[in-house]
Amino acid sequence: GYRKYFTDKDRNVVLRLSQDGITEISSNGLTDFFRDQLNATTAFSKIIGGLDQHTQNYTVSIQPIDTYNDSNIPTTPYTNIDSTYRTLSFSEDSLGWTSFYTYKPTFILSLRNNFYSIKDGAIWKHYELTTNKRSTFYGVTYPSSVTLVLNPSVSEVKTFKTINYEGSPDWTMDSIITDSDIGLSISKATNTSTITTLSTLQNQLFLNNFKKKENKYFGNIINISPKQPGQILWGQSMSGIDGFWATVTMSTIDSTDPITFQGKKELFAVSSNYVNSSY
């Protein structure tokens, strides 16, 4: 339309030029992030942007180069440190940065409402689900993850007892940590229609995975924090983790299972049952 997107490395911002002038879109929730990322770039870095016409989002990939020789010139051939690159997208509908992506493109383009990127001289068509699974880039399938912060009653120390989510049955909880404790990861729910053996009953009751109840999935949070020197654990010390807030990472990955795991994975809400700590 009438919009153009670009980055200003000297000011460490991402900008949009439209009919109402220039707007700093990097300030929509990610001011510190872009300040740090763009400030780390050099004359040898790559900042690649393009419009994703499939979703109508602006996509930008910031790719610093971290390998230098003594004269501050990249070695030949130089290599990018892949752990430093960031690819993410901005949505005009929500006026925010909606997602980080795993792929690292060398060029981005759209044609006839299709979104493409180029990697190692080859072109890749995104969202081509007839031949590729979701979260697959350049032939490699990656897990999709969501990281969120649980912070009810912000000024009170809480004991987070359970984790609950609404969505598809294929999500796992990779981690949950507070400012003081660490919880054990929880595997995805298993679809068991009948319980015919003792081992099936044990799997349903005692495995640390999500359990389905009333179309919602829940799991108990087990405390695996290392005991401090001289610390004595009383009662249900393994049940729940204490802290002001909890950072939770949920993930899922597409599978070749033709019945259960193919198709989109939805995550509508994540919550926790907690009690105020009795300090």
Side-chain angles (χ1 to χ4, degrees):
Y2 297 97
R3 300 188 186 101
K4 290 188 177 182
Y5 301 88
F6 57 98
T7 59
D8 187 336
K9 178 199 175 306
D10 294 334
R11 294 171 177 81
N12 298 329
V13 293
V14 183
L15 303 170
R16 176 189 63 211
L17 174 63
S18 59
Q19 290 178 309
D20 59 352
I22 295 179
T23 303
E24 181 188 339
I25 61 174
S26 55
S27 64
N28 293 27
L30 289 181
T31 301
D32 293 346
F33 170 82
F34 281 108
R35 180 195 61 205
D36 297 341
Q37 291 293 316
L38 293 174
N39 191 53
T41 59
T42 69
F44 307 102
S45 301
K46 295 180 180 180
I47 305 174
I48 301 165
L51 179 66
D52 181 352
Q53 288 187 345
H54 184 87
T55 60
Q56 294 298 308
N57 291 342
Y58 167 64
T59 300
V60 61
S61 182
I62 304 173
Q63 303 172 8
I65 298 174
D66 293 337
T67 303
Y68 298 92
N69 58 22
D70 293 337
S71 61
N72 202 33
I73 302 296
T75 56
T76 305
Y78 62 81
T79 58
N80 286 354
I81 306 301
D82 283 353
S83 61
T84 65
Y85 78 93
R86 295 292 184 269
T87 303
L88 64 163
S89 64
F90 177 81
S91 169
E92 290 288 349
D93 292 336
S94 59
L95 292 179
W97 299 88
T98 56
S99 183
F100 287 93
Y101 296 103
T102 312
Y103 65 91
K104 181 183 179 182
T106 55
F107 195 73
I108 294 173
L109 69 151
S110 289
L111 179 65
R112 293 186 178 181
N113 294 320
N114 291 318
F115 181 52
Y116 302 90
S117 65
I118 295 175
K119 176 71 172 178
D120 298 330
I123 191 168
W124 181 265
K125 184 178 180 181
H126 295 250
Y127 312 109
E128 185 58 55
L129 299 180
T130 57
T131 56
N132 298 299
K133 296 181 291 184
R134 287 176 168 82
S135 296
T136 298
F137 305 108
Y138 317 131
V140 180
T141 301
Y142 300 91
S144 298
S145 65
V146 178
T147 300
L148 52 105
V149 177
L150 303 176
N151 194 17
S153 303
V154 295
S155 297
E156 297 179 359
V157 178
K158 297 163 286 289
T159 300
F160 296 91
K161 308 289 287 186
T162 65
I163 190 77
N164 318 282
Y165 81 87
E166 301 172 43
S168 305
D170 312 316
W171 291 87
T172 64
M173 188 194 74
D174 296 336
S175 65
I176 180 169
I177 61 172
T178 68
D179 47 304
S180 58
D181 286 343
I182 303 173
L184 183 66
S185 60
I186 302 176
S187 58
K188 64 181 178 64
T190 56
N191 295 325
T192 304
S193 57
T194 59
I195 298 178
T196 57
T197 64
L198 179 60
S199 61
T200 305
L201 176 62
Q202 290 174 338
N203 288 340
Q204 286 293 95
L205 295 178
F206 304 120
L207 283 184
N208 191 42
N209 58 0
F210 281 108
K211 309 295 191 298
K212 184 177 181 180
K213 183 178 181 181
E214 296 178 349
N215 291 323
K216 191 174 183 178
Y217 297 89
F218 72 94
N220 293 315
I221 299 176
I222 299 175
N223 196 328
I224 58 171
S225 304
K227 186 175 70 172
Q228 300 298 321
Q231 181 182 14
I232 300 176
L233 302 179
W234 302 95
Q236 300 294 324
S237 59
M238 295 281 294
S239 177
I241 56 177
D242 296 334
F244 285 102
W245 44 260
T247 301
V248 182
T249 299
M250 308 279 294
S251 71
T252 184
I253 189 169
D254 206 347
S255 172
T256 56
D257 189 322
I259 299 176
T260 307
F261 301 107
Q262 284 188 349
K264 62 184 178 181
K265 310 298 190 299
E266 297 176 312
L267 185 65
F268 301 114
V270 179
S271 60
S272 175
N273 179 27
Y274 70 94
V275 296
N276 291 334
S277 178
S278 56
Y279 59 86

